[in-house]
Amino acid sequence: MPPPGAVPPPGAGHPGAAAPVQPRPTGPVRPQPVAGHSEVICVNAPAMTASGPDGQLRGHGLHGFFRAGVRALARMELRLGGIEPLPLQGTLTSAAEARFVGAVRVPGDPDPDPALTVERLRNADGVETVTVRNTGGRPARLPLEITFGTDLGQLSEIAAGHRTPDLPAQVQSAGLRWAGPHHSATVSAKPSPHAVLAGAGVLRWDLEVQPGARWSVELRSELQSLTPPAVRPPTGRGPGVPLPWSAPGVRCDDSRAELLLPRSLDALAGLLLADADRPTDLYSASGAPWRFGLTSADALWAARLTLPLGTRLAAGTLRALARRQYPGGARPEGVIPGALRHAGPELPPSCTATEATLLFVTVLAEAWRWGMPTQEVADLLPAAERALAALRANLATDPVGARPALGSEPDAPVIEGPVGFVTDLGRTAEERSARPVPARCEAQAQAHRAALHGADLLEAFGRPGAAEWRAWAAGLRERFREQFWIDDLSGGRPAAALIAPGRPLPTVAASFVHLLDLGLAAEGADHEGLLDREQTRVLAQRLVAPEFDCGWGLRTLSAKSPRFNPIGHRSGAVRVHETALAVAGLSGAGFEREAGELLTGLLDASAHFEGRLPEMYAGEQRVPGCPPVPHPAACRPAAVASAAGVHLVTALAGIRPDVPAGRVVVRPASTAPLGELELTGLRVAGEPFSVRVSRIGVAVVEEASPSLLLGAR
């Protein structure tokens, strides 16, 4: 379950366990808070700050210092001599820090240029240093006043558009204090202010800054809990806990990629959380500001896409989620809890518990291939078996008497829905029978991959069931090619979902990219996919057609759809990780021209976002001279988008390990879309791994564990 304060994007469902889909509530629409692309958001989980580019915290929208989902400070407005500094610059210097620069003309100064500059160095943890510099020729004598206030509001309520009045302030030591029913907040200053006006929430200093001199004050906001929480909230990465990945280096002909990789990792580092009782098990929050907590599927995606940098993030994420698996009872045993999310205009909301449960098996299997220690894998294998059991329990029996699903009981409930396909692992059989749900295209791809990965693990560790899962996967491939493929004059396409037997949904959606994500198999190979070679070719051509590729990446819904909306997060916006999966999948399948077209668009977009890709942006058609349009409800940073930036660069090197077999295959894109590419500081088998790819697509491994046999495919 997401911790308090974790919320989804507006309109994108709400956090919680795999609950049945409920009708949309009626009533007044809640306003969406201000969170435009110009807002400067610093993140160091579980802390976050948000302000405008001028650095002023004005108390509206999401402005403020937050910690563990509570707004410790809503307002911090600075005036020098009664004047707000003229904003000159406001930018992130890292995911956790920002720098704001403003200028002030000293009243009565005959010089037309401003003599005073005000620099604010802000950290997401609640510390801000304000420095006033005098570059003029006369002493500056004027007051510095900073007005503070807070409502101690919950992030979940603020994100829904609620704003309560500020609480009254009290003088405390060298600052101010506010108290609410459950929390109190303080702000302190060094040096101490010359005056504290509690009624107005103002700290005041009477400055005298000589020519060429500077004066600084450190402001610190802190939050205290007045009542013990029912569940201990997660903590951030402790001071003695290292980052759960290596420090890679990238050098290539494409400067966009050189910027994208380090900034993606910086953003992901700001989202790291740990369970309070197990501070060394790190996982990523989904994103800030909207989902600033654990979302199982997003955490698993982030762990999977960063496996070339080591397996520690995967191990911590898997262990944290194994502790959260449903033990049975109201929810099916073995399911990983997930949030309910909007699924676009053509389908009902879906619960990400299905994706998370299936992805758990894949992440464990691929982490094992990358070199996760055998004992750690063995310890997590029971959780993977429970996830496979949840998949087995979900498979429907045929209402007209066809053979039952894998491992189902003879008296299993009859389900009036798509037969032999995966629907919603978070629902009980009775719920699925009472309210049938579609079998989604991407869920079949994820289930097929999980079955094959599960078989690999079961066989390698001497557990029963591997042959049955491989047989079920083969049957799913046959059923999928028969029932999910829609023939048309363009060569055909997959269905977005099956509504019922023989009723495919013809929506053309970017969720098709999951059909290209085959998963790492033995000897560095790919597992077989649900599509045959010709169907994959047709899909590759369709993905780069203008209806899908807007020039900045893949739209989530075809532009030809009557319900296309370029800023609809499931009806036309570009979701970064889907485009990254398409690039990697197309390149691995040999469709490098198509992969290169999508890669170019995504890298161009990353340059416009200064290497910090948001969760999504508008799917408007690319026009010369116009940058990509930001999405108003996008998380930035977002764990999956940041990890996708890492994946986009590392996948093109084509590193395909099988550490249990003592082998690593390197199969780069032959077209070398990034030009010459050198990656250092990766991790395979827990040891440093470096590779260089030439401009003609030839790879040379320059550093690797001596226990590995190197090969190429």
Side-chain angles (χ1 to χ4, degrees):
M1 294 285 289
V7 294
H14 49 81
V21 177
Q22 300 295 331
R24 291 176 178 266
T26 58
V29 177
R30 289 181 174 179
Q32 178 176 311
V34 176
H37 181 66
S38 62
E39 301 292 291
V40 179
I41 300 174
C42 306
V43 176
N44 188 19
M48 177 186 80
T49 70
S51 76
D54 61 358
Q56 301 279 46
L57 304 181
R58 302 187 185 275
H60 58 65
L62 287 169
H63 279 206
F65 283 83
F66 294 83
R67 189 164 191 89
V70 178
R71 179 153 61 182
L73 199 62
R75 292 192 299 122
M76 186 167 64
E77 299 176 77
L78 181 150
R79 289 175 176 81
L80 194 59
I83 301 171
E84 287 197 24
L86 176 70
L88 302 178
Q89 185 184 64
T91 187
L92 290 175
T93 56
S94 71
E97 298 176 324
R99 178 176 184 259
F100 304 92
V101 180
V104 175
R105 272 191 87 231
V106 177
D109 193 336
D111 194 327
D113 298 321
L116 300 179
T117 59
V118 180
E119 179 189 64
R120 304 171 70 165
L121 299 179
R122 177 174 298 162
N123 190 289
D125 288 335
V127 178
E128 180 161 327
T129 301
V130 178
T131 300
V132 179
R133 292 183 177 88
N134 184 357
T135 59
R138 302 189 308 165
R141 298 182 180 89
L142 69 177
L144 170 67
E145 294 182 333
I146 306 179
T147 304
F148 299 89
T150 187
D151 56 355
L152 292 177
Q154 293 285 335
L155 177 57
S156 56
E157 292 297 310
I158 295 164
H162 291 176
R163 174 71 164 97
T164 56
D166 281 353
L167 296 167
Q170 302 170 344
V171 177
Q172 175 170 307
S173 184
L176 297 165
R177 180 179 185 271
W178 300 264
H182 305 292
H183 297 88
S184 67
T186 59
V187 62
S188 58
K190 293 182 181 180
S192 299
H194 297 140
V196 179
L197 307 176
V202 172
L203 302 185
R204 175 186 172 117
W205 294 262
D206 296 316
L207 303 187
E208 182 174 339
V209 187
Q210 298 298 320
R214 68 179 65 184
W215 178 92
S216 296
V217 61
E218 181 186 270
L219 305 167
R220 183 179 298 271
S221 64
E222 296 181 287
L223 183 74
Q224 298 84 32
S225 178
L226 302 179
T227 57
V231 178
R232 293 183 65 188
T235 64
R237 180 170 63 93
V241 180
L243 286 169
W245 51 70
S246 63
V250 56
R251 184 184 63 80
C252 69
D253 293 337
D254 195 317
S255 60
R256 300 168 299 177
E258 287 185 328
L259 182 66
L260 179 61
L261 181 59
R263 290 204 167 174
S264 295
L265 284 173
D266 176 56
L268 194 59
L271 294 171
L272 289 177
L273 289 170
D275 284 353
D277 296 329
R278 295 173 176 83
T280 57
D281 279 353
L282 300 177
Y283 54 85
S284 61
S286 181
W290 309 108
R291 293 194 302 275
F292 203 31
L294 175 60
T295 300
S296 304
D298 291 355
L300 286 165
W301 274 114
R304 184 186 179 211
L305 297 180
T306 56
L307 279 172
L309 311 183
T311 62
R312 285 189 294 131
L313 181 60
T317 303
L318 289 165
R319 284 193 287 265
L321 294 180
R323 293 191 288 268
R324 289 164 168 79
Q325 270 185 314
Y326 287 128
R331 297 290 106 204
E333 182 180 2
V335 169
I336 306 288
L340 187 68
R341 285 190 184 166
H342 185 60
E346 306 288 349
L347 287 166
S350 62
C351 182
T352 57
T354 299
E355 183 178 20
T357 304
L358 299 172
L359 196 55
F360 185 97
V361 181
T362 283
V363 173
L364 181 60
E366 292 190 340
W368 172 61
R369 297 283 185 199
W370 279 92
M372 186 173 170
T374 302
Q375 186 57 53
E376 293 186 30
V377 178
D379 291 344
L380 286 163
L381 195 56
E385 289 179 303
R386 291 193 294 270
L388 289 170
L391 171 58
R392 178 184 293 113
N394 176 261
L395 301 174
T397 55
D398 192 330
V400 296
R403 69 179 179 87
L406 174 68
S408 61
E409 298 297 329
D411 58 350
V414 171
I415 300 172
E416 300 288 348
V419 177
F421 295 104
V422 178
T423 53
D424 186 344
L425 270 60
R427 295 173 185 261
T428 64
E430 291 75 14
E431 289 171 340
R432 297 197 306 274
S433 181
R435 184 180 294 173
V437 293
R440 302 168 195 269
C441 171
E442 64 272 25
Q444 312 319 306
Q446 293 157 1
H448 178 263
R449 188 181 61 220
L452 294 176
H453 276 144
D456 291 345
L457 289 169
L458 295 173
E459 184 175 67
F461 285 82
R463 306 290 185 97
E468 290 83 354
W469 280 115
R470 290 196 176 101
W472 178 80
L476 179 61
R477 285 195 296 274
E478 182 180 350
R479 292 191 297 276
F480 188 92
R481 294 171 187 179
E482 290 176 354
Q483 299 185 49
F484 262 84
W485 190 260
I486 301 173
D487 289 314
D488 59 21
L489 295 177
S490 66
R493 64 185 186 278
L498 285 188
I499 306 300
R503 291 181 56 196
L505 181 68
T507 299
V508 180
S511 56
F512 295 165
V513 302
H514 291 275
L515 296 169
L516 303 171
D517 182 16
L518 306 183
L520 185 60
E523 301 294 320
D526 288 321
H527 276 301
E528 186 175 356
L530 289 177
L531 301 181
D532 61 28
R533 179 67 180 176
E534 177 60 18
Q535 290 170 337
T536 303
R537 183 192 67 80
V538 171
L539 178 59
Q541 292 179 343
R542 188 134 203 175
L543 289 177
V544 297
E547 67 170 318
F548 252 146
D549 181 10
C550 71
W552 302 114
L554 290 176
R555 299 180 172 104
T556 48
L557 187 67
S558 166
K560 293 182 178 180
S561 169
R563 307 189 71 173
F564 169 72
N565 174 5
I567 60 170
H569 67 284
R570 289 290 181 185
S571 55
V574 175
R575 297 180 67 85
V576 167
H577 82 283
E578 289 179 337
T579 302
L581 288 178
V583 170
L586 290 170
S587 180
F591 299 100
E592 295 186 6
R593 179 189 65 81
E594 292 84 353
E597 291 182 26
L598 296 177
L599 172 67
T600 297
L602 196 54
L603 287 176
D604 285 345
S606 76
H608 284 287
F609 290 109
E610 301 179 332
R612 299 183 184 278
L613 282 167
E615 176 187 14
M616 56 189 165
Y617 44 87
E620 289 189 334
Q621 190 61 43
R622 184 171 181 171
V623 176
C626 294
V629 175
H631 194 286
C635 285
R636 49 183 180 87
V640 179
S642 298
V646 177
H647 182 63
L648 196 69
V649 178
T650 58
L652 295 174
I655 304 165
R656 313 283 298 177
D658 186 357
V659 171
R663 179 182 175 90
V664 61
V665 172
V666 181
R667 186 179 58 199
S670 61
T671 54
L674 299 178
E676 185 174 7
L677 170 65
E678 183 177 1
L679 292 171
T680 60
L682 307 181
R683 287 289 184 274
V684 180
E687 299 290 334
F689 189 91
S690 301
V691 63
R692 178 168 50 84
V693 181
S694 72
R695 294 184 181 92
I696 59 173
V698 176
V700 176
V701 175
E702 299 187 327
E703 184 180 23
S705 169
S707 64
L708 294 175
L709 176 66
L710 305 179
R713 294 177 68 89

